[in-house]
Amino acid sequence: MREGAALLQGLAVCGHCGRRLAVHYSGRFSAPGYHCAGKNIVNGRGEYCLNIGGVQIDAAVAEAFLAALAPAGLQASLQAIEQFDADHETTLAQFRRDVERARYNAQRAERRYRAVDPENRLVARGLEAEWESALLELKTAESELSDREHARPRSLTHEERDAILALGKDLKRIWFAPTTSDRDRKELLRTLLDDVTLRVERDKYNAHLTLRWRGGLFSEVNVPLPHSHPSPIRTADDTIDLLRRLAAHYPDTKIAGILNRQGRTTATGLSFTANRVSSLRTHWEIPCFEPKQQVQDGECMTIEKAARALGIAPSTLHRCLNDGFIAGEQITPGAPWRIRINDELRSRFVEARPKVT
């Protein structure tokens, strides 16, 4: 058992999918919490099936535990122990009768076997098998009776009863004592509880707990959850509206410059940077700027085909490409060069071509 403050570590069960809840700690004071990552397995969305702070949950379970150990509850437990003793005696009486019946059957089978004529081997073998079966039943019945007698619960003495009743008065003080560690509280809790099922009802701001006690009893506890409030610190609405309009035309770096020139600041009074603009866009789900790709005109041809289209030699086109007079394209480095033929390139080579008189 680990030393963390989460009281229900190993006991908490998700009321939505039935998995064991994991424990996490957060905040400056490492407040415990419980979560179930069941949705990651179901649909891969990366969301928790259940996620709830543990402070209020642990307090509610501790209160129910201490209430169960109150003097009235302890008195009821003592009465239940006495009733269990009485039921145990009734069970033992039944097993004793089973032993007596099995012993009588074994003795009768023995008498019948010894009374048969030894010359009648067929009947003797049948009675011998019947006797052995009766002896086996007797041995089984005696073994079960012995096990039941050894499992007899030890009766409480008067001193032990008084000590248990006195414990109910002091348990709350012991539970909250500075000398009682988190590990001690967990061990105390496990003496009575098998598990606690948590079901969160966010729309009702309620957590429903089902406590399963040792012995099979159940109890229900509802824990009200705090209502969430919007953070009082937020970026001005007009700044968000302006960001929404600018994001359709400019990248984050340019938007940050525009906002700073207008004297606008973040929610905490800081100047804008590209990262802060990006974070603000992400929070308000504003799409980022995507520059439009310019559509290039003209047909892309190999050098040989382009040379024929322009009416020049391929070597001339190669020389112009190497000298940087015209632009070329490669699908991948090392691939053949391709020339995009458009009106501008055609006019350039037509003007450069010598006129025939």
Side-chain angles (χ1 to χ4, degrees), residues 23 185 216 247 312 320:
V23 176
R185 296 186 183 95
I312 59 175
C320 294

Side-chain angles (χ1 to χ4, degrees), residues 8 13 19 127 137 186 191 193 229 255 275 282 289 352:
L8 303 183
V13 177
R19 293 178 175 85
L127 293 176
E137 291 180 2
K186 294 179 187 179
T191 59
L193 273 177
H229 299 285
I255 294 175
N275 287 337
T282 302
F289 169 70

Side-chain angles (χ1 to χ4, degrees), residues 13 75 80 96 122 143 168 237 241 301 345 347 349:
V13 177
Q75 185 64 46
R96 291 189 183 103
L122 181 62
S143 176
D237 292 337
D241 292 338
M301 305 179 182
L345 190 62
S347 61
F349 279 95

Side-chain angles (χ1 to χ4, degrees), residues 311-322:
I312 59 175
S315 57
T316 304
L317 205 54
H318 272 292
R319 187 170 59 256
C320 294
L321 185 63
N322 293 334

Side-chain angles (χ1 to χ4, degrees), residues 88 134 169 206 240 272 289 333 337:
H88 189 74
K169 301 177 183 178
N206 179 72
I240 297 172
F272 280 100
F289 169 70
W337 286 96

Side-chain angles (χ1 to χ4, degrees), residues 61-122:
V61 173
E63 183 178 353
F65 174 74
L66 294 174
L69 292 179
L74 289 175
Q75 185 64 46
S77 299
L78 292 174
Q79 292 176 358
I81 291 174
E82 293 172 355
Q83 182 63 40
F84 184 77
D85 289 341
D87 294 342
H88 189 74
E89 285 298 331
T90 303
T91 304
L92 286 180
Q94 178 62 43
F95 276 93
R96 291 189 183 103
R97 287 193 293 270
D98 292 343
V99 170
E100 291 176 3
R101 188 181 302 108
R103 184 177 290 114
Y104 171 76
N105 291 335
Q107 292 172 351
R108 185 179 63 175
E110 181 183 6
R111 288 194 301 270
R112 293 178 61 187
Y113 171 73
R114 295 187 184 282
V116 72
D117 184 359
E119 297 297 331
N120 194 345
R121 296 181 180 179
L122 181 62

Side-chain angles (χ1 to χ4, degrees), residues 233-236 239 260 263-273 276:
I233 303 177
R234 56 175 292 173
T235 306
T239 300
N260 290 331
R264 299 177 184 271
T265 60
T266 65
T268 55
L270 301 175
S271 60
F272 280 100
T273 62
R276 290 168 186 162

